[in-house]
C-alpha cells in the first residue's frame, strides 16, 4: 500500500478538493481564500481548509474519507497544517469532537475575533457548535 503524504494542495489542483468533498456527499466546500491541506494515498483521502482570520487562522472543512477513518489521518493532517501557522488557530465543531481536538492541543479557552464570533452565533442557531482554539507556543 502507498504511504500517505500530507501536504498543501497546489493552487491548480484546488478543484480536486471540492470533487473529493462531493464524492462523499459532504456539504463542505474549499475556500479560495484558504490554504487547502490534503492527505493523499494516490488520491485525496482527507482534507481541510485554513482560512486567514484576524491575526490567525480558522480551520474548516476537516473531512476524512469513510474508508480511511480510524487510522489517525485527521490528527496527522491537522498537525501538519497548523504547524506552519503563526498566531492562533480557531475551529468550530460538534461538542462530541471536543476530546479529539483537545488531544491535538486545542482548548475551549477561546478569544474569537469578532467576525468568527458572529459566524459562530449564526451556526449555533441551527446546531450545537463549540469554538476551540490552539495557541502556538513561542
Amino acid at each position: 500500500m502507498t504511504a500517505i503524504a500530507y501536504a498543501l494542495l497546489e493552487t491548480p489542483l484546488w478543484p480536486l478538493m471540492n470533487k473529493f468533498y462531493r464524492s462523499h456527499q459532504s456539504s463542505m466546500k474549499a475556500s479560495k481564500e484558504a490554504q487547502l491541506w490534503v492527505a493523499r494515498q494516490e488520491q485525496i483521502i482527507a482534507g481541510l481548509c485554513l482560512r486567514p482570520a484576524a491575526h490567525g487562522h480558522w480551520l474548516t472543512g476537516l473531512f476524512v474519507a469513510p474508508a480511511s477513518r480510524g487510522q489517525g489521518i485527521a490528527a496527522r493532517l491537522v498537525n501538519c497544517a497548523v504547524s506552519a501557522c503563526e498566531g492562533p488557530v480557531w475551529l468550530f465543531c460538534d461538542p462530541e469532537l471536543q476530546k479529539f481536538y483537545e488531544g491535538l492541543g486545542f482548548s475551549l479557552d477561546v478569544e474569537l475575533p469578532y467576525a468568527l464570533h458572529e459566524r459562530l452565533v449564526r451556526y449555533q442557531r441551527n446546531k450545537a457548535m463549540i469554538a476551540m482554539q490552539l495557541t502556538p507556543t513561542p
Side-chain angles (χ1 to χ4, degrees), residues 51-58 85-90 111-114 116 133-136:
R51 301 168 93 171
H55 53 283
H57 288 85
W58 182 34
C85 291
E86 290 186 24
V89 177
W90 301 279
E111 294 180 31
L112 284 175
Y114 181 76
L116 288 181
Q133 179 175 329
L134 176 69
T135 304

Side-chain angles (χ1 to χ4, degrees), residues 12 23 26 47 54-55 85 92-93 100 102 116:
S23 72
S26 171
H55 53 283
C85 291
F92 305 154
C93 66
F100 168 75
E102 284 175 338
L116 288 181

Side-chain angles (χ1 to χ4, degrees), residues 14-106:
W14 281 4
L16 295 177
M17 183 76 116
N18 283 325
K19 182 178 178 184
F20 166 71
Y21 287 144
R22 281 191 313 272
S23 72
H24 295 287
Q25 289 78 47
S26 171
S27 61
M28 296 176 191
K29 288 190 172 39
S31 167
K32 291 185 179 179
E33 304 87 45
Q35 296 176 20
L36 306 182
W37 285 83
V38 295
R40 282 185 167 159
Q41 196 170 37
E42 296 177 24
Q43 295 190 2
I44 295 172
I45 58 170
L48 66 78
C49 300
L50 274 177
R51 301 168 93 171
H55 53 283
H57 288 85
W58 182 34
L59 190 156
T60 66
L62 176 60
F63 186 85
V64 178
S68 299
R69 292 180 183 163
Q71 302 174 42
I73 293 167
R76 284 192 293 279
L77 181 59
V78 170
N79 285 329
C80 276
V82 302
S83 70
C85 291
E86 290 186 24
V89 177
W90 301 279
L91 60 83
F92 305 154
C93 66
D94 185 289
E96 291 182 9
L97 294 171
Q98 178 180 342
K99 290 204 182 309
F100 168 75
Y101 285 111
E102 284 175 338
L104 298 178
F106 286 81

